[in-house]
Amino acid sequence: MADEESKVVPAAAEALVQAGIVSQWLAENGFDHESLAPDANGVEIIKVAADFLLPTATALYAYGFNCLQFQSGIDLGPGQDLVSVYHLIKISDNADRPAEVRVKVFLPRENPTVPSLYWIWKTADWQERESYDMYGIIYEGHPNLKRILMPEDWVGWPLRKDYISPDFYELQDAY
């Protein structure tokens, strides 16, 4: 029995995620977040609540993350959360490998609303519109949040894993 208990403790210790440099800086400055395991390339991943995204993103910009490399959406599966992902980098002179961090915001499927980061990084404009168009994530404060890939009258969010394709579009023979 004692051997079984000793096996459980190391497994639990392995499950703990070591906070990265950016996570430590955010914690020291009072920003509420959770540190997630780094990705396969070692990029630090931070989980932030939707209510704290705007102040956290502003702090990261002030910390030097001056470029939003990409923003995208993820669907974790039917009945599960949607995720808005932001990959930030520090662009500076003579940097052969700029610092990177990824911020994830987990959103409820029923009301996936998060503040727009357009006012911090202008590159969020079309990327947030694409996430809105494909996943239905609403970016509050975005200056032009409308469909970008699908027709304006399209019903639903095509990249959601529970999406059912409408029957009113007919495939026609090209000959």
Side-chain angles (χ1 to χ4, degrees):
M1 181 96 167
D3 291 332
E4 291 176 18
E5 289 176 11
S6 64
K7 291 178 184 176
V8 172
V9 174
E14 290 175 13
L16 293 176
V17 175
Q18 185 71 23
I21 295 169
V22 177
S23 179
Q24 291 173 8
W25 181 83
L26 287 171
E28 289 168 5
N29 289 285
F31 291 95
D32 192 25
H33 69 286
E34 180 182 334
S35 194
L36 302 177
D39 71 1
N41 295 322
V43 175
E44 186 176 355
I45 302 175
I46 296 170
K47 177 181 176 182
V48 177
D51 293 342
F52 299 114
L53 176 64
L54 203 51
T56 303
T58 304
L60 290 172
Y61 182 81
Y63 185 63
F65 288 99
N66 53 3
C67 179
L68 172 64
Q69 190 172 31
F70 83 82
Q71 184 283 324
S72 186
I74 302 171
D75 184 352
L76 298 179
Q80 296 184 30
D81 288 343
L82 299 173
V83 183
S84 186
V85 182
Y86 307 84
H87 188 88
L88 308 172
I89 60 174
K90 286 184 180 182
I91 296 178
S92 61
D93 294 339
N94 302 323
D96 59 340
R97 183 172 165 102
E100 302 174 88
V101 69
R102 194 162 299 139
V103 178
K104 291 186 176 185
V105 182
F106 292 78
L107 304 164
R109 194 172 207 81
E110 303 76 39
N111 184 22
T113 303
V114 66
S116 173
L117 297 186
Y118 170 81
W119 304 105
I120 301 171
W121 297 284
K122 299 297 186 217
T123 55
D125 185 8
W126 287 33
Q127 296 177 59
E128 288 180 347
R129 286 179 61 190
E130 181 179 355
S131 294
Y132 164 72
D133 195 7
M134 297 287 107
Y135 294 99
I137 299 172
I138 299 166
Y139 294 90
E140 288 183 329
H142 191 282
N144 190 23
L145 192 63
K146 63 180 186 177
R147 291 208 182 259
I148 191 170
L149 299 172
M150 305 303 290
E152 284 293 324
D153 62 346
W154 193 267
V155 177
W157 318 107
L159 289 185
R160 284 195 181 187
K161 293 182 179 177
D162 57 358
Y163 177 72
I164 298 172
S165 183
D167 292 333
F168 57 86
Y169 285 93
E170 192 176 305
L171 293 176
Q172 296 184 2
D173 200 292
Y175 299 103

